[in-house]
Amino acid sequence: MTSGEAEVAVTEEKPTRLIGGPGILLVWLYGVMVVGAVSRSAYQIATEFDRAPLAYSLSALAGIVYGFITYTLVRGGEKARRAARVCCAAELVGVLAVGTWTLVEPSAFPDATVWSDFGMGYVFIPVLLPLSALYWLRKRAPHGDAA
C-alpha cells in the first residue's frame, strides 16, 4: 500500500464529525428527549396501556426516533448525516401530524404524547429540535450537497 492509499484508507475510516460546535447541544437535547420519551412511554405502557394505547405507542416511537438521531449525530460521517436528515424530516412530519391531530380531534388522545400540541408539554422542543437539526445538518453538508 502506498502512502497515498494509506491516507485515503485513514480518511475513509474516520467519519466527519457532526457534533462540533452547536452540534454538541443538539446531541445533548436529543439525548434528554430519548430519556424523557422512552422512560415516560415505558412506564405508561407497563402500567396503563389500555387507557391510551395510541398516545403511549407514539411516545415510544418518538423515543426510538430520538435515539436513532442521537446515534447518527454521534457516529458522524456522510451516511450518518444523510440518515439523520431523513429521520429529522420524518420526525418533523410526525410532530406536525400528531400536533395537528391532537388539536383537531383531542378525543383520540385521552392522554398526551411527546408530540401532542406540537410538543407543548416539552416546551415545544419536539417541534424546534428537528428544525434546528435539519438546519445544522444542511450547514454541515459537504460543498455541493446542500439538498
mmCIF file of all heavy atoms in Angstrom, residues 31-60:
data_model
loop_
_atom_site.group_PDB
_atom_site.id
_atom_site.type_symbol
_atom_site.label_atom_id
_atom_site.label_comp_id
_atom_site.label_asym_id
_atom_site.label_seq_id
_atom_site.Cartn_x
_atom_site.Cartn_y
_atom_site.Cartn_z
ATOM 1 N N GLY A 31 -30.459 13.544 23.410
ATOM 2 C CA GLY A 31 -30.255 12.575 24.488
ATOM 3 C C GLY A 31 -31.260 12.745 25.612
ATOM 4 O O GLY A 31 -31.808 11.764 26.129
ATOM 5 N N VAL A 32 -31.517 13.986 25.989
ATOM 6 C CA VAL A 32 -32.520 14.262 27.023
ATOM 7 C C VAL A 32 -33.900 13.790 26.552
ATOM 8 O O VAL A 32 -34.661 13.193 27.324
ATOM 9 C CB VAL A 32 -32.532 15.768 27.382
ATOM 10 C CG1 VAL A 32 -33.745 16.131 28.222
ATOM 11 C CG2 VAL A 32 -31.246 16.155 28.099
ATOM 12 N N MET A 33 -34.207 14.048 25.282
ATOM 13 C CA MET A 33 -35.506 13.640 24.753
ATOM 14 C C MET A 33 -35.630 12.113 24.693
ATOM 15 O O MET A 33 -36.719 11.570 24.906
ATOM 16 C CB MET A 33 -35.750 14.258 23.379
ATOM 17 C CG MET A 33 -35.896 15.772 23.410
ATOM 18 S SD MET A 33 -37.210 16.382 24.499
ATOM 19 C CE MET A 33 -38.647 15.810 23.602
ATOM 20 N N VAL A 34 -34.538 11.417 24.407
ATOM 21 C CA VAL A 34 -34.559 9.952 24.434
ATOM 22 C C VAL A 34 -34.952 9.474 25.819
ATOM 23 O O VAL A 34 -35.877 8.667 25.975
ATOM 24 C CB VAL A 34 -33.180 9.343 24.056
ATOM 25 C CG1 VAL A 34 -33.143 7.853 24.346
ATOM 26 C CG2 VAL A 34 -32.847 9.600 22.607
ATOM 27 N N VAL A 35 -34.266 9.972 26.819
ATOM 28 C CA VAL A 35 -34.536 9.545 28.192
ATOM 29 C C VAL A 35 -35.972 9.883 28.584
ATOM 30 O O VAL A 35 -36.697 9.043 29.127
ATOM 31 C CB VAL A 35 -33.530 10.190 29.175
ATOM 32 C CG1 VAL A 35 -33.922 9.924 30.620
ATOM 33 C CG2 VAL A 35 -32.133 9.686 28.892
ATOM 34 N N GLY A 36 -36.408 11.101 28.277
ATOM 35 C CA GLY A 36 -37.765 11.508 28.641
ATOM 36 C C GLY A 36 -38.839 10.690 27.940
ATOM 37 O O GLY A 36 -39.764 10.174 28.579
ATOM 38 N N ALA A 37 -38.725 10.550 26.630
ATOM 39 C CA ALA A 37 -39.758 9.851 25.859
ATOM 40 C C ALA A 37 -39.779 8.355 26.154
ATOM 41 O O ALA A 37 -40.848 7.763 26.335
ATOM 42 C CB ALA A 37 -39.558 10.094 24.363
ATOM 43 N N VAL A 38 -38.610 7.737 26.220
ATOM 44 C CA VAL A 38 -38.560 6.286 26.457
ATOM 45 C C VAL A 38 -39.008 5.950 27.873
ATOM 46 O O VAL A 38 -39.810 5.027 28.061
ATOM 47 C CB VAL A 38 -37.149 5.726 26.160
ATOM 48 C CG1 VAL A 38 -37.010 4.292 26.645
ATOM 49 C CG2 VAL A 38 -36.854 5.808 24.669
ATOM 50 N N SER A 39 -38.527 6.676 28.866
ATOM 51 C CA SER A 39 -38.919 6.356 30.243
ATOM 52 C C SER A 39 -40.405 6.612 30.466
ATOM 53 O O SER A 39 -41.093 5.809 31.095
ATOM 54 C CB SER A 39 -38.065 7.120 31.251
ATOM 55 O OG SER A 39 -38.195 8.509 31.078
ATOM 56 N N ARG A 40 -40.908 7.716 29.923
ATOM 57 C CA ARG A 40 -42.334 8.023 30.074
ATOM 58 C C ARG A 40 -43.187 6.952 29.410
ATOM 59 O O ARG A 40 -44.114 6.420 30.005
ATOM 60 C CB ARG A 40 -42.624 9.383 29.458
ATOM 61 C CG ARG A 40 -44.089 9.735 29.405
ATOM 62 C CD ARG A 40 -44.332 11.030 28.660
ATOM 63 N NE ARG A 40 -45.753 11.329 28.577
ATOM 64 C CZ ARG A 40 -46.231 12.480 28.209
ATOM 65 N NH1 ARG A 40 -45.432 13.460 27.889
ATOM 66 N NH2 ARG A 40 -47.530 12.670 28.161
ATOM 67 N N SER A 41 -42.876 6.621 28.167
ATOM 68 C CA SER A 41 -43.699 5.656 27.443
ATOM 69 C C SER A 41 -43.569 4.254 28.035
ATOM 70 O O SER A 41 -44.552 3.517 28.095
ATOM 71 C CB SER A 41 -43.354 5.651 25.952
ATOM 72 O OG SER A 41 -42.032 5.231 25.731
ATOM 73 N N ALA A 42 -42.380 3.884 28.477
ATOM 74 C CA ALA A 42 -42.202 2.557 29.081
ATOM 75 C C ALA A 42 -43.063 2.426 30.332
ATOM 76 O O ALA A 42 -43.746 1.400 30.524
ATOM 77 C CB ALA A 42 -40.732 2.320 29.413
ATOM 78 N N TYR A 43 -43.051 3.446 31.157
ATOM 79 C CA TYR A 43 -43.879 3.422 32.366
ATOM 80 C C TYR A 43 -45.367 3.359 32.004
ATOM 81 O O TYR A 43 -46.120 2.560 32.549
ATOM 82 C CB TYR A 43 -43.606 4.650 33.239
ATOM 83 C CG TYR A 43 -44.542 4.744 34.414
ATOM 84 C CD1 TYR A 43 -44.335 3.960 35.539
ATOM 85 C CD2 TYR A 43 -45.653 5.581 34.376
ATOM 86 C CE1 TYR A 43 -45.209 4.021 36.610
ATOM 87 C CE2 TYR A 43 -46.526 5.654 35.444
ATOM 88 C CZ TYR A 43 -46.311 4.864 36.563
ATOM 89 O OH TYR A 43 -47.190 4.915 37.615
ATOM 90 N N GLN A 44 -45.781 4.207 31.068
ATOM 91 C CA GLN A 44 -47.202 4.253 30.697
ATOM 92 C C GLN A 44 -47.653 2.960 30.026
ATOM 93 O O GLN A 44 -48.757 2.485 30.281
ATOM 94 C CB GLN A 44 -47.471 5.457 29.795
ATOM 95 C CG GLN A 44 -47.350 6.772 30.538
ATOM 96 C CD GLN A 44 -47.393 7.977 29.630
ATOM 97 O OE1 GLN A 44 -46.869 7.958 28.521
ATOM 98 N NE2 GLN A 44 -48.017 9.047 30.106
ATOM 99 N N ILE A 45 -46.829 2.404 29.179
ATOM 100 C CA ILE A 45 -47.189 1.143 28.518
ATOM 101 C C ILE A 45 -47.269 0.018 29.541
ATOM 102 O O ILE A 45 -48.158 -0.825 29.479
ATOM 103 C CB ILE A 45 -46.191 0.823 27.385
ATOM 104 C CG1 ILE A 45 -46.423 1.786 26.205
ATOM 105 C CG2 ILE A 45 -46.303 -0.630 26.937
ATOM 106 C CD1 ILE A 45 -45.362 1.738 25.123
ATOM 107 N N ALA A 46 -46.366 0.012 30.496
ATOM 108 C CA ALA A 46 -46.348 -1.044 31.511
ATOM 109 C C ALA A 46 -47.483 -0.935 32.508
ATOM 110 O O ALA A 46 -47.969 -1.951 33.011
ATOM 111 C CB ALA A 46 -45.011 -1.028 32.249
ATOM 112 N N THR A 47 -47.948 0.280 32.796
ATOM 113 C CA THR A 47 -48.920 0.446 33.878
ATOM 114 C C THR A 47 -50.342 0.775 33.429
ATOM 115 O O THR A 47 -51.287 0.445 34.137
ATOM 116 C CB THR A 47 -48.466 1.540 34.863
ATOM 117 O OG1 THR A 47 -48.359 2.785 34.158
ATOM 118 C CG2 THR A 47 -47.133 1.172 35.501
ATOM 119 N N GLU A 48 -50.498 1.444 32.291
ATOM 120 C CA GLU A 48 -51.845 1.880 31.905
ATOM 121 C C GLU A 48 -52.063 1.908 30.389
ATOM 122 O O GLU A 48 -52.714 2.812 29.874
ATOM 123 C CB GLU A 48 -52.142 3.250 32.523
ATOM 124 C CG GLU A 48 -51.085 4.299 32.263
ATOM 125 C CD GLU A 48 -51.235 5.527 33.139
ATOM 126 O OE1 GLU A 48 -52.013 5.521 34.118
ATOM 127 O OE2 GLU A 48 -50.568 6.523 32.832
ATOM 128 N N PHE A 49 -51.527 0.924 29.703
ATOM 129 C CA PHE A 49 -51.598 0.893 28.247
ATOM 130 C C PHE A 49 -53.038 0.947 27.731
ATOM 131 O O PHE A 49 -53.313 1.592 26.717
ATOM 132 C CB PHE A 49 -50.889 -0.354 27.705
ATOM 133 C CG PHE A 49 -50.786 -0.379 26.215
ATOM 134 C CD1 PHE A 49 -49.931 0.483 25.548
ATOM 135 C CD2 PHE A 49 -51.539 -1.268 25.473
ATOM 136 C CE1 PHE A 49 -49.821 0.463 24.167
ATOM 137 C CE2 PHE A 49 -51.439 -1.293 24.091
ATOM 138 C CZ PHE A 49 -50.571 -0.433 23.433
ATOM 139 N N ASP A 50 -53.964 0.311 28.420
ATOM 140 C CA ASP A 50 -55.366 0.287 27.976
ATOM 141 C C ASP A 50 -56.002 1.673 27.952
ATOM 142 O O ASP A 50 -56.960 1.901 27.228
ATOM 143 C CB ASP A 50 -56.202 -0.635 28.887
ATOM 144 C CG ASP A 50 -55.784 -2.084 28.770
ATOM 145 O OD1 ASP A 50 -55.109 -2.427 27.777
ATOM 146 O OD2 ASP A 50 -56.117 -2.872 29.675
ATOM 147 N N ARG A 51 -55.482 2.580 28.727
ATOM 148 C CA ARG A 51 -56.053 3.926 28.819
ATOM 149 C C ARG A 51 -55.862 4.733 27.537
ATOM 150 O O ARG A 51 -56.774 5.422 27.094
ATOM 151 C CB ARG A 51 -55.428 4.668 30.001
ATOM 152 C CG ARG A 51 -55.981 6.042 30.191
ATOM 153 C CD ARG A 51 -55.508 6.646 31.497
ATOM 154 N NE ARG A 51 -55.924 8.035 31.512
ATOM 155 C CZ ARG A 51 -55.125 9.049 31.773
ATOM 156 N NH1 ARG A 51 -53.864 8.830 32.082
ATOM 157 N NH2 ARG A 51 -55.576 10.271 31.766
ATOM 158 N N ALA A 52 -54.669 4.672 26.952
ATOM 159 C CA ALA A 52 -54.375 5.461 25.753
ATOM 160 C C ALA A 52 -53.285 4.774 24.923
ATOM 161 O O ALA A 52 -52.161 5.269 24.830
ATOM 162 C CB ALA A 52 -53.939 6.864 26.144
ATOM 163 N N PRO A 53 -53.603 3.633 24.318
ATOM 164 C CA PRO A 53 -52.565 2.886 23.598
ATOM 165 C C PRO A 53 -51.924 3.666 22.447
ATOM 166 O O PRO A 53 -50.717 3.559 22.231
ATOM 167 C CB PRO A 53 -53.300 1.648 23.086
ATOM 168 C CG PRO A 53 -54.748 1.942 23.197
ATOM 169 C CD PRO A 53 -54.903 2.985 24.257
ATOM 170 N N LEU A 54 -52.698 4.446 21.732
ATOM 171 C CA LEU A 54 -52.137 5.221 20.623
ATOM 172 C C LEU A 54 -51.139 6.257 21.131
ATOM 173 O O LEU A 54 -50.020 6.377 20.615
ATOM 174 C CB LEU A 54 -53.250 5.906 19.823
ATOM 175 C CG LEU A 54 -52.807 6.792 18.663
ATOM 176 C CD1 LEU A 54 -52.031 5.982 17.623
ATOM 177 C CD2 LEU A 54 -54.005 7.475 18.021
ATOM 178 N N ALA A 55 -51.512 6.990 22.149
ATOM 179 C CA ALA A 55 -50.635 8.025 22.696
ATOM 180 C C ALA A 55 -49.332 7.424 23.223
ATOM 181 O O ALA A 55 -48.243 7.938 22.938
ATOM 182 C CB ALA A 55 -51.348 8.781 23.815
ATOM 183 N N TYR A 56 -49.434 6.338 23.971
ATOM 184 C CA TYR A 56 -48.239 5.743 24.560
ATOM 185 C C TYR A 56 -47.352 5.101 23.493
ATOM 186 O O TYR A 56 -46.128 5.159 23.588
ATOM 187 C CB TYR A 56 -48.621 4.734 25.635
ATOM 188 C CG TYR A 56 -49.481 5.334 26.727
ATOM 189 C CD1 TYR A 56 -50.378 4.558 27.443
ATOM 190 C CD2 TYR A 56 -49.423 6.692 27.042
ATOM 191 C CE1 TYR A 56 -51.175 5.102 28.441
ATOM 192 C CE2 TYR A 56 -50.219 7.249 28.031
ATOM 193 C CZ TYR A 56 -51.090 6.447 28.729
ATOM 194 O OH TYR A 56 -51.876 6.989 29.715
ATOM 195 N N SER A 57 -47.958 4.523 22.486
ATOM 196 C CA SER A 57 -47.175 3.934 21.391
ATOM 197 C C SER A 57 -46.457 5.028 20.590
ATOM 198 O O SER A 57 -45.301 4.849 20.189
ATOM 199 C CB SER A 57 -48.081 3.120 20.472
ATOM 200 O OG SER A 57 -48.660 2.050 21.177
ATOM 201 N N LEU A 58 -47.128 6.142 20.364
ATOM 202 C CA LEU A 58 -46.490 7.254 19.647
ATOM 203 C C LEU A 58 -45.338 7.844 20.455
ATOM 204 O O LEU A 58 -44.308 8.228 19.888
ATOM 205 C CB LEU A 58 -47.517 8.329 19.299
ATOM 206 C CG LEU A 58 -48.478 7.979 18.161
ATOM 207 C CD1 LEU A 58 -49.576 9.028 18.046
ATOM 208 C CD2 LEU A 58 -47.741 7.834 16.845
ATOM 209 N N SER A 59 -45.491 7.909 21.765
ATOM 210 C CA SER A 59 -44.394 8.393 22.602
ATOM 211 C C SER A 59 -43.203 7.438 22.544
ATOM 212 O O SER A 59 -42.049 7.879 22.500
ATOM 213 C CB SER A 59 -44.853 8.568 24.057
ATOM 214 O OG SER A 59 -45.717 9.675 24.165
ATOM 215 N N ALA A 60 -43.465 6.135 22.524
ATOM 216 C CA ALA A 60 -42.382 5.158 22.402
ATOM 217 C C ALA A 60 -41.689 5.304 21.044
ATOM 218 O O ALA A 60 -40.456 5.265 20.957
ATOM 219 C CB ALA A 60 -42.929 3.737 22.566
#
